[in-house]
Amino acid sequence: MSLPFSVAVPTVEIVGSDDRFPVRRIFCVGRNYAEHAREMGGSPEREPPFFFSKPADALVEANADIAMPPRTANLHHEIELVVALGSGGRDIAQDRAIETIFGYAVGNDLTRRDLQADAKAAGRPWDMAKGFDASAVISPIRRADEIGHPAKARIWLTVNGEARQEGDIADMIWPVADIVAELSTYVELKAGDLIYSGTPAGVGRIVAGDLVEGGVEGVGTIANRFI
Ligand code: MN
């Protein structure tokens, strides 16, 4: 007897392939660029980056129109390099970490900043601030065996053509290999995991009608209209 419904595994386009990348989990790094840590009221010298997560079905494509989410008056953009894992493990050594990486994409870690501020003030979880529907914009994935492992590349975001975020992935506090190694001490990583690696300074508000574009040089771009 079959169930009267089915549930699909979320997938992401892979550049140059008919195969799609099946997504198991989405992890995110908080405060991985010093200037962004400061703009959020933190001290990058005293507090290391940290992790949170989003549900896999929060993914939304790079060129999709996105409905303004409910329960917020302060939706924020966060442009990020996304790491896609092709294998995993526990306690992965830093110098073996890039072997687990299948490829890279560009993401926008959409955030209900007002709900996040409330959660911080109350000592409550961030899930409803970070893990809502269509909160994880992602570009098609570029394979690492085609583009290598970018360590220095411009990362940028504009709203209606106006510069908002501008940085370089070389300025991450934890580079990608450190993120994979550190995260694997908390949870076992596996193929299908995505890691949003943190955002540079300049996060800000999105309102209905905005066109939000961004990218990481050599990896990809996103362009979403908010409706
Ligand atoms: Mn983020």
Side-chain angles (χ1 to χ4, degrees), residues 170-189:
D171 294 330
M172 287 184 194
I173 295 169
W174 284 344
V176 167
D178 295 41
I179 293 169
V180 171
E182 181 74 11
L183 182 55
S184 76
T185 69
Y186 286 90
V187 290
E188 181 177 6
L189 297 174

Side-chain angles (χ1 to χ4, degrees), residues 30-207:
R31 299 187 185 176
N32 199 23
Y33 291 78
E35 283 306 312
H36 172 64
R38 290 188 192 98
E39 78 180 348
M40 296 307 295
S43 168
E45 294 76 19
R46 286 204 305 274
E47 306 159 50
F50 55 89
F51 297 105
F52 59 94
S53 60
K54 297 191 185 227
D57 73 350
L59 289 167
V60 57
E61 289 184 349
N63 296 104
D65 286 347
I66 299 175
M68 291 297 289
R71 301 297 295 260
T72 185
N74 197 16
L75 179 69
H76 270 209
H77 54 77
E78 297 190 357
I79 191 75
E80 312 203 358
L81 176 70
V82 181
V83 182
L85 299 190
S87 65
R90 292 191 180 92
D91 298 322
I92 299 166
Q94 195 268 357
D95 63 357
R96 306 294 302 271
I98 66 164
E99 296 170 16
T100 66
I101 297 172
F102 172 81
Y104 296 89
V106 176
N108 187 353
D109 165 19
L110 292 169
T111 302
R112 294 194 280 211
R113 195 70 75 198
D114 41 3
L115 296 193
Q116 186 191 34
D118 292 348
K120 286 179 183 177
R124 289 181 180 154
W126 285 13
D127 302 51
M128 292 300 115
K130 286 287 196 179
F132 52 95
D133 299 337
S135 61
V137 177
I138 191 159
S139 75
I141 293 169
R142 300 288 305 277
R143 297 176 61 114
D145 59 15
E146 291 176 0
I147 64 165
H149 296 276
K152 180 168 174 54
R154 180 178 175 243
I155 181 169
W156 58 275
L157 180 140
T158 65
V159 177
N160 305 322
E162 183 179 310
R164 290 277 191 91
Q165 292 188 267
E166 181 71 52
D168 196 294
I169 63 168
D171 294 330
M172 287 184 194
I173 295 169
W174 284 344
V176 167
D178 295 41
I179 293 169
V180 171
E182 181 74 11
L183 182 55
S184 76
T185 69
Y186 286 90
V187 290
E188 181 177 6
L189 297 174
K190 292 190 176 182
D193 290 345
L194 297 176
I195 307 171
Y196 282 62
S197 61
T199 198
V203 300
R205 189 172 174 218
I206 297 168
V207 298

